[in-house]
Amino acid sequence: MLTADHGMATPVSRRPASPSLALATVCLSGTLEDKLAAAAAAGFDGIEIYEDDLIVSSWSPSRIRQECADLGLSIHLYQPFRDFEAVPPEALEANLRRAERKFDVLEHLGTRTLAVCSTTSMSALDDDDLAAEQLHTLAGRAARRGLRIAYEGLAWGRFVNTVEHAWRIVRLAGHPALGLCLDSFHLFARGDDPAWIRAVPGAKVFHLQLADAPRLNMDVLEWSEHHRLFPGQGVFDLTGFVGHVLATGYDGPLSIEVYNDVCRQADPRHVAVDAMRSLLSLEETLGPVAARERIQPAGLPPAPPLDGHVFTELAVDEISGPNVARALAALGFTHTGRHRSKPVQLWSQAKARILLNFAPQRTVPPGTAAVCALAVESADPAGSARRAERLLAPVLPRARRVEEAELNSVAAPDGTAVFFCRTGGDDNWLDDFAPTGRTAPGEGLLTGTDHVSLTESVDDFDQAALFYRSVLGLQATQTTTLPAPFGLIQSRAATDPAHHVRISLNTAPLRRGDWSPAVPSPQHVAFTTDDAIAAAKAMRALGAPLLTIPDNYYDDLDARLALPRELLTEMRRHSILYDRDQHGEYLHFYTEMLGARIFFEVVQRVGEYSGYGAANSAAVRMAAHRRRRLTTLREPSALAGGDHDYSLAHLTALSLSPPELVSAAADAGYRYVGLRMTRVTPHEPHHPLATDPALMRATKVRLAATGIEVLDIELARIAPDDDPADFLRFLEAGAELGARHVITQLPDPDFARKTDRFARLCELAGPLGLTVDLEFPSWTQTPDLAGAVRVLRAARQPNAGILVDLIHFARSGSRVADLRDLPPEWFRFAHVCDAPAAAPATQEEIIHAARFERLFPGEGGIDVHGILGALPPGIPYALEIPRATLVAQVGAKEHARLAITAARRHLDAVARRAGPTEAA
């Protein structure tokens, strides 16, 4: 059931009777070599060569001609030739000389047609007769060399800025080698009616360029350069446009000319596939026009009817899986099956089904859950798969046993597997699951799956919409822009004509800086119910983690809609959101976030309501999820289910900058970080938060965005020549970051001096709300617990404390019994790790092991439980586990995740089994 790596799909084979499909090289990123290979791989018959692509290429025009021939590509057009017509005589001579040189290029390329754009030059004259006369001259020179000129009216042309005006110029010139280059963008951008094109003889349409676009109110040149889309992705009626052009008798290629900020940076192979997919879909929509018989895409089956969502598959692991399973049970689902050959669970309730896939996932961050597959009920699964393959969707290989169902699946652009199923019959996919003996209630709280909502990157958003619309035969809505707490959100939905299958796509169109929501790329599955209020009551009683919506939302709802008091009261009580339109009503509620980015929604559609909630519902939900996320982080061990919060000490991942450390902590499930703000050794990375405003700002942004807090800062290491006052900016920076504790060491043999300086440091830190916690590495002049206790008793400072680091405690020979006799308020957190029971032989080896070779809790011989059990209950555990070899193998972020996973397994599990007393 898992998504597999996929390559490029097989190009479409076409009947000779079909018109050539072409792609302009300007659509693609890369060098000309990259672009030609991508166009050929996607199955295009021909290309338009953009002049700049040729200029920067190391290939000569003759070499380009040969390479195209080897790839099976015809060169249909060379473009653009700019600012030619309606110029004074001296400029005309220069333009004709320039044109002759370009004719040389065309001859070497082996193409006949040069696209000439209407002038934008400030030296041009507003004179149609002059423009026609000069274009006639140009066409005459082209004709003597067997070439022709396709005149294109740019929507931003200085004088000729409509297609109709361009046609008037061509007619006035009256030369057989002069015709039109029709670009759909220029026509629709000016709001022109394409029906007039039927009056143009097909022989005078030399070339046809297709582009779609969203409806935007902006400068037309800016619109064209940054916002062109492939057919079907925007609002232009390209079906009607192409129908009108073909009705003229035009028999040239259908060519795509699209450029935007995404295409110009994306992998050209993927963009070329999108272009081909859009053209094939466009051909399918042309309808019964006279030219329809000439356009028959070879082997493109119609989209079989769909009859609903069969299942949604979530990739989970040992951390996220149990959390999601508990939520499903509280929503009324039952674990009804186990896959016979894969680590996949089937959870069912009526026709709502969720698969939990516990197999390792390369593409899913550990500790999270993510949608990895979705399945739709198809009247003809094999036909759906054939259509998907002909539309260049990569077919996914799937390992299965002989007795298991043969499921057809393809990969969506983001890697999500899409399965085509037919439940029941001889090859029923449900038979692949061994029953657990538990039965799903026939009349449960939920009845099925309403829709699946996915978040795409802005680069993949239009591509994904095109995929689901064309491959599944869905009808896509126009993109809507919604306000949200963290910037604008763009949303677009697609559904089949009967509204049995709904897929919602979302993206953040612009992201600047590191500030972002705590939940990256959220996904959710929406289930249907016949009674949202009754379902919410029952699910809350079962312990479902339902999301709480603030009262302000209901006050506003009352003001806007004047709902019946009883209904509003019930919705407020159960955090149910509401929308209505002229067709019906929509009641829906959400769960909290599960597995970092997944949540569930329950919806009740009343009447013929077909939307997805009011415009503000996404913002309300996002703010509520954010609020709950921050609350959860502040609840003791809410994420781990244990007895302690965890902090990621900087030494565990010292190669990470403070903002990166915060992100790593958030991703792995820590509540806190400890930041190393001073350099202890000359060879370690230095993160000068106290003196680098940009680093401070970036760190604060990541803290605010993730909800992670700073537990401690280090290291105030006071040697004999150090003055505590020199640490004031260090302390102020810690307070600015919200730190609670300062780690200090006292490598000073003079007891009176170091005690006095420790007390002065405490006095400086106190007004800033910081405690000063003395650490006692065995190689310093404060080498053990007894030495630290002497300093604290002599300093007599209320904010003084002791930091127990397990490896230092063990190597110093300190005793657990002595810990129990000390004031509990001295111990605010602990540094947790493990190490071999036997200490290294030399001090140098002890230092090296402490800095580079610590072990995860439970892997060594330190009395981890004994030491921690002697400390006050509930204090945070800061995982300080530098492990250079492992970090080199898996990276610092993965090492941080492995550290907390091992700590939870060894510490929290034992605490839960033993209870507080035994664990101590």
Side-chain angles (χ1 to χ4, degrees):
M1 300 276 178
L2 289 175
T3 299
D5 289 336
H6 53 276
M8 304 306 294
T10 304
V12 172
S13 60
R14 302 177 55 77
R15 300 187 338 172
S18 298
S20 174
L21 298 187
L23 181 66
T25 59
V26 72
C27 299
L28 307 175
S29 68
T31 64
L32 186 59
E33 296 91 322
D34 299 322
K35 299 180 182 196
L36 297 182
F44 282 96
D45 307 304
I47 58 166
E48 303 175 14
I49 290 187
Y50 190 66
E51 183 172 65
D52 287 353
D53 288 325
L54 182 141
I55 291 172
V56 303
S57 175
S58 62
W59 289 350
S60 68
S62 298
R63 170 74 182 278
I64 293 170
R65 176 180 184 173
Q66 185 59 51
E67 293 291 340
C68 287
D70 292 343
L71 291 169
L73 294 172
S74 300
I75 302 177
H76 294 296
L77 185 78
Y78 184 75
Q79 59 117 349
F81 191 75
R82 303 181 190 276
D83 297 331
F84 172 79
E85 80 281 16
V87 295
E90 61 276 11
L92 176 62
E93 287 304 315
N95 287 345
L96 287 173
R97 177 185 177 279
R98 179 164 56 97
E100 291 288 354
R101 298 296 299 271
K102 297 307 174 183
F103 292 161
D104 295 339
V105 173
L106 264 69
E107 289 177 339
H108 289 299
L109 288 173
T111 187
R112 293 185 57 222
T113 308
L114 174 68
V116 175
C117 302
S118 61
T119 186
T120 60
S121 172
M122 296 305 295
S123 62
L125 305 174
D126 186 7
D127 187 335
D128 283 4
D129 291 330
L130 180 61
E133 177 186 341
Q134 293 179 351
L135 284 170
H136 185 279
T137 301
L138 179 66
R141 293 199 180 195
R144 289 196 292 271
R145 301 176 68 164
L147 307 176
R148 61 184 190 170
I149 302 300
Y151 186 54
E152 180 179 14
L154 300 179
W156 54 89
R158 184 169 181 209
F159 303 117
V160 179
N161 54 27
T162 68
V163 178
E164 285 189 87
H165 195 171
W167 171 233
R168 291 200 303 271
I169 300 290
V170 169
R171 290 182 63 190
L172 188 61
H175 197 290
L178 179 65
L180 282 177
C181 176
L182 291 179
D183 184 321
S184 61
F185 180 87
H186 299 312
L187 183 138
F188 286 111
R190 285 291 176 180
D192 294 342
D193 183 354
W196 74 265
I197 293 174
R198 290 174 176 265
V200 179
K204 297 301 284 184
V205 180
F206 285 1
H207 195 72
L208 176 62
Q209 294 175 325
L210 300 174
D212 210 336
R215 178 60 62 188
L216 299 172
N217 184 20
M218 64 188 309
D219 175 77
V220 68
L221 177 58
E222 187 82 1
W223 186 11
S224 175
E225 289 188 338
H226 297 282
H227 299 285
R228 288 192 181 216
L229 298 172
F230 292 122
Q233 293 181 327
V235 299
F236 295 166
D237 178 17
L238 293 185
T239 299
F241 173 78
V242 175
H244 293 309
V245 175
L246 294 177
T248 69
Y250 171 75
D251 60 359
L254 305 182
S255 186
I256 294 281
E257 188 186 49
V258 167
Y259 33 89
N260 57 54
D261 297 338
V262 173
C263 291
R264 284 170 167 160
Q265 299 182 53
D267 187 326
R269 298 169 301 171
H270 298 161
V271 175
V273 166
D274 279 352
M276 175 57 75
R277 185 177 289 148
S278 71
L279 270 182
L280 296 177
S281 299
L282 175 63
E283 285 187 337
E284 188 179 41
T285 68
L286 285 176
V289 297
R292 173 70 169 162
E293 296 303 318
R294 196 171 54 81
I295 301 179
Q296 294 291 334
L300 181 60
L306 303 179
D307 194 31
H309 293 267
V310 178
F311 63 77
T312 307
E313 183 173 351
L314 307 183
V316 296
D317 60 14
E318 71 278 4
I319 297 174
S320 62
N323 290 336
V324 176
R326 284 191 294 271
L328 288 172
L331 294 177
F333 282 82
T334 302
H335 179 197
T336 56
R338 297 187 185 90
H339 199 277
R340 299 182 190 276
S341 63
K342 300 177 177 68
V344 179
Q345 299 176 357
L346 169 62
W347 289 74
S348 303
Q349 184 175 180
K351 290 186 178 181
R353 303 182 188 94
I354 294 290
L355 303 186
L356 299 185
N357 192 325
F358 284 83
Q361 298 280 324
R362 257 198 339 267
T363 58
V364 178
T368 66
V371 174
C372 64
L374 55 89
V376 295
E377 189 83 22
S378 171
D380 179 8
S384 292
R386 286 193 300 271
R387 175 183 175 84
E389 188 173 4
R390 300 310 290 171
L391 286 167
L392 306 179
V395 176
L396 293 176
R398 179 173 174 266
R400 67 181 184 92
R401 293 179 178 175
V402 175
E403 67 275 12
E404 292 177 356
E406 184 175 358
L407 295 180
N408 300 291
S409 64
V410 296
D414 63 358
T416 301
V418 178
F419 286 88
F420 305 106
C421 301
R422 191 168 187 177
T423 306
D426 298 332
D427 196 25
N428 190 351
W429 69 273
L430 286 170
D431 294 337
D432 294 348
F433 288 83
T436 60
R438 308 166 191 168
T439 58
E443 297 293 335
L445 302 173
L446 305 176
T447 57
T449 298
D450 184 82
H451 65 272
V452 177
S453 180
L454 305 173
T455 299
E456 306 286 346
S457 70
V458 68
D459 292 350
D460 293 336
F461 181 67
D462 290 318
Q463 182 185 30
L466 174 62
F467 171 87
Y468 288 110
R469 181 182 63 81
S470 59
V471 171
L472 273 63
L474 305 182
Q475 300 171 348
T477 63
Q478 291 303 315
T479 298
T480 59
T481 300
L482 306 173
F486 307 101
L488 296 177
I489 297 295
Q490 288 185 346
S491 184
R492 191 173 194 179
T495 182
D496 67 302
H499 300 293
H500 293 150
V501 171
R502 293 181 172 97
I503 296 172
S504 174
L505 302 173
N506 306 280
T507 192
L510 180 64
R511 175 70 65 206
R512 285 184 173 148
D514 293 328
W515 170 248
S516 63
V519 182
S521 301
Q523 303 171 322
H524 79 267
V525 184
F527 305 113
T528 54
T529 183
D530 293 330
D531 188 334
I533 293 175
K537 288 180 181 178
M539 291 172 182
R540 198 174 293 279
L542 290 171
L546 302 185
L547 188 65
T548 300
I549 303 300
D551 283 340
N552 290 340
Y553 168 81
Y554 297 98
D555 294 340
D556 175 71
L557 196 64
D558 184 29
R560 288 188 295 110
L561 301 182
L563 295 173
R565 182 60 52 191
E566 299 79 8
L567 175 62
L568 187 67
T569 299
E570 287 297 291
M571 289 195 302
R572 187 192 299 264
R573 178 178 297 139
H574 299 290
S575 288
I576 296 172
L577 290 87
Y578 178 87
D579 190 31
R580 72 184 182 198
D581 60 18
Q582 66 271 31
H583 304 294
E585 298 173 285
Y586 189 69
L587 288 81
H588 58 128
F589 59 90
Y590 301 98
T591 69
E592 296 174 0
M593 202 63 62
L594 309 165
R597 61 184 292 207
I598 282 287
F599 61 97
F600 298 122
E601 181 184 10
V602 176
V603 310
Q604 178 188 356
R605 295 182 182 273
V606 180
E608 298 300 319
Y609 183 96
S610 61
Y612 298 85
N616 70 345
S617 63
V620 171
R621 186 260 305 160
M622 290 176 67
H625 272 141
R626 162 80 169 168
R627 186 165 48 251
R628 181 56 186 152
R629 163 73 173 169
L630 297 179
T631 301
T632 300
L633 285 170
R634 288 159 175 75
E635 292 173 351
S637 306
L639 294 177
D643 298 322
H644 296 270
D645 290 315
Y646 287 92
S647 178
L648 176 57
H650 211 154
L651 191 60
T652 303
L654 195 53
S655 62
L656 299 180
S657 68
E660 293 171 334
L661 186 78
V662 173
S663 295
D667 291 343
Y670 292 84
R671 178 177 173 182
Y672 303 108
V673 292
L675 296 176
R676 196 172 180 105
M677 294 168 51
T678 60
R679 178 182 282 150
V680 178
T681 69
H683 305 294
E684 69 182 41
H686 184 214
H687 307 296
L689 280 162
T691 56
D692 186 338
L695 183 60
M696 170 65 78
R697 182 172 59 252
T699 304
K700 290 167 69 176
V701 164
R702 294 309 303 146
L703 290 168
T706 59
I708 295 294
E709 300 176 55
V710 178
L711 181 66
D712 63 272
I713 58 171
E714 60 173 343
L715 178 69
R717 194 170 187 267
I718 304 178
D721 296 330
D722 292 324
D723 184 348
D726 294 338
F727 289 96
L728 180 58
R729 180 67 194 107
F730 163 80
L731 297 175
E732 291 172 340
E736 184 178 350
L737 290 165
R740 305 178 183 192
H741 314 297
V742 179
I743 301 175
T744 187
Q745 293 177 1
L746 299 176
D748 186 345
D750 187 314
F751 178 78
R753 183 173 57 205
K754 70 183 177 185
T755 300
D756 175 68
R757 292 179 176 177
F758 176 77
R760 288 168 58 197
L761 185 66
C762 291
E763 291 168 351
L764 291 170
L768 299 173
L770 296 167
T771 70
V772 180
D773 299 87
L774 178 57
E775 190 177 30
F776 48 91
S778 62
W779 58 85
T780 68
Q781 284 76 17
T782 309
D784 52 24
L785 178 64
V789 169
R790 286 186 62 210
V791 170
L792 255 69
R793 294 196 188 282
R796 299 174 63 86
Q797 294 295 318
N799 61 331
I802 293 176
L803 171 62
V804 172
D805 183 310
L806 268 60
I807 195 170
H808 299 328
F809 189 94
R811 297 297 181 245
S812 68
S814 300
R815 300 189 311 158
V816 171
D818 294 335
L819 275 179
R820 300 184 188 278
D821 295 333
L822 296 174
E825 61 271 17
W826 281 4
F827 303 98
R828 286 120 180 169
F829 66 110
H831 271 174
V832 176
C833 64
D834 210 337
T842 67
Q843 179 170 294
E844 289 73 16
E845 291 173 332
I846 289 175
I847 294 174
H848 180 84
R851 289 179 176 166
F852 302 106
E853 296 179 353
R854 301 194 194 193
L855 302 176
F856 295 149
E859 293 183 345
I862 290 178
D863 182 13
V864 173
H865 291 294
I867 300 171
L868 294 179
L871 296 173
I875 63 172
Y877 288 165
L879 302 185
E880 186 170 77
I881 314 176
R883 202 167 180 175
T885 301
L886 183 58
V887 170
Q889 292 171 343
V890 304
K893 290 185 177 180
E894 175 63 7
H895 175 236
R897 186 195 70 83
L898 293 173
I900 193 170
T901 300
R904 285 169 172 166
R905 184 180 301 116
H906 185 67
L907 301 176
D908 295 338
V910 170
R912 285 193 294 271
R913 288 196 305 270
T917 303
E918 292 182 37

